Amino acid sequence: MTSSAHRAGQGAVTVTMTPTSCFPDPSPHRPQPAVAMETISVKLLTCVGPPGARGAEAAAAGPRGPRGPTQEHLASLHWFSALGLTEEQAVCFQEAVMDLIYWKDTERSGMVLTGLVVVLLSLFQLSIITVVSTLSLAVVCFAIAVRVYYKTLHILNWADGEHPFKKYLDMDIGLSGEQAEHAVQKAIVMAMSALDTLKKLVFVANLIDSLKFLVLLYLATFLGKIFNGLTVFIMGVIAIFSLPLFYQQRQEQVDSAIAKIQANVDNVKDIVRRILQGGGPTPDPTPGGAKPKTQ
């Protein structure tokens, strides 16, 4: 009797502990707070990144829990909302781009990079109309050949006769009237924002920003004499597929070099700012601004 009662008591303890410690309360009168939903959203975006980044972030978080969203994550959220992408679509888009850039699938990344470079190199010798028409002709010929091949297999009873491009045909790419109007409004807002920024730079709303824009235009003239626009674009595509992977492998050396360059740039900015403000005195390097006593 004593052992059976003891076992019954243990069973009662197990029953009472399981719902509270392992499973959340599914009652409808306890809505999930907005802070928790925002945390889930941030976790979905922060989980996407280069290989090994999630482990480093988890180690950096430590026992204090996850940190808040960084500026990169907030910027990505802003651009995804501007493009009208949902959270699930944004996460899938980020995962696909990161997989290509960091060469998780070597074959796919190599095909994408080779295709982009070949198309851009073709524009040096041929017009854009010739390149687009030739690529379209190649794609249509390939699709017809695949369709005829699958149709032949179906006639010979070697296949089920399913259309090889059924998932692409069933893909919904249409826009409703509200979605089209919303996309046009976003495009107009982004264009007007860009024009407003350009207006402030050209008509010197801020002298420092206009000087930076002037230096950028001056450097662009030298760049135009050395390179063609397509050359710069090709170099940009190659850099996208090479620099992130290089930075991942040489992160410490690159960070130290960037820190030195940033220190020099900040020093030059400080000198220029003091000259524009009337050549004020050099800030006191002593802690707290305390000046040494005169004898």
Side-chain angles (χ1 to χ4, degrees), residues 10-294:
Q10 289 182 346
V13 171
T14 304
V15 171
T16 55
M17 289 296 292
T18 300
T20 58
S21 60
C22 298
F23 301 98
D25 187 6
S27 58
H29 63 276
R30 290 186 181 179
Q32 192 171 8
V35 178
M37 295 298 293
E38 185 178 358
T39 305
I40 294 174
S41 174
V42 172
K43 286 182 178 180
L44 283 174
L45 288 175
T46 54
C47 69
V48 181
R54 291 189 292 271
E57 290 179 0
R64 293 176 296 178
R67 299 177 181 177
T70 60
Q71 293 181 355
E72 290 80 3
H73 299 148
L74 295 177
S76 62
L77 282 173
H78 171 73
W79 282 108
F80 288 142
S81 61
L83 294 175
L85 298 177
T86 61
E87 184 179 357
E88 183 179 358
Q89 292 174 344
V91 172
C92 293
F93 179 77
Q94 276 192 343
E95 288 180 349
V97 171
M98 290 299 175
D99 289 347
L100 287 175
I101 291 177
Y102 288 96
W103 295 78
K104 285 188 175 181
D105 189 349
T106 307
E107 183 179 357
R108 181 178 299 177
S109 298
M111 290 176 60
V112 172
L113 178 60
T114 304
L116 289 175
V117 173
V118 167
V119 170
L120 293 175
L121 288 176
S122 301
L123 294 175
F124 278 109
Q125 304 295 331
L126 305 172
S127 64
I128 187 172
I129 298 176
T130 305
V131 173
V132 172
S133 59
T134 304
L135 288 176
S136 302
L137 182 65
V139 171
V140 173
C141 291
F142 174 77
I144 291 176
V146 173
R147 183 73 175 95
V148 171
Y149 173 72
Y150 274 80
K151 190 67 176 177
T152 305
L153 292 180
H154 177 61
I155 293 175
L156 297 176
N157 294 326
W158 291 351
D160 55 359
E162 185 179 359
H163 200 289
F165 306 108
K166 186 176 184 302
K167 63 177 181 179
Y168 300 107
L169 293 174
D170 295 340
M171 188 182 299
D172 186 13
I173 58 174
L175 290 176
S176 62
E178 295 181 356
Q179 292 176 344
E181 183 180 358
H182 190 57
V184 171
Q185 289 178 356
K186 286 186 176 181
I188 293 174
V189 169
M190 294 176 67
M192 295 305 297
S193 177
L195 288 176
D196 183 65
T197 304
L198 184 62
K199 177 189 67 175
K200 292 179 180 179
L201 292 174
V202 171
F203 295 105
V204 197
N206 189 338
L207 183 60
I208 302 297
D209 293 339
S210 296
L211 288 176
K212 293 178 182 178
F213 185 62
L214 178 64
V215 173
L216 182 63
L217 292 178
Y218 184 70
L219 294 177
T221 57
F222 283 98
L223 189 64
K225 294 178 182 179
I226 300 174
F227 299 109
N228 191 5
L230 282 174
T231 305
V232 176
F233 199 70
I234 292 173
M235 292 172 61
V237 171
I238 296 175
I240 289 174
F241 280 86
S242 59
L243 290 183
L245 190 62
F246 175 78
Y247 175 74
Q248 180 187 353
Q249 296 175 351
R250 308 290 186 193
Q251 185 173 0
E252 295 182 359
Q253 294 87 339
V254 173
D255 288 340
S256 61
I258 291 177
K260 294 178 181 179
I261 296 174
Q262 186 65 35
N264 294 328
V265 171
D266 292 339
N267 189 16
V268 173
K269 285 183 179 179
D270 184 65
I271 293 173
V272 173
R273 188 179 297 109
R274 284 190 284 109
I275 292 175
L276 293 176
Q277 291 176 355
T282 306
D284 190 5
T286 58
K291 296 183 179 180
K293 296 181 180 180
T294 57

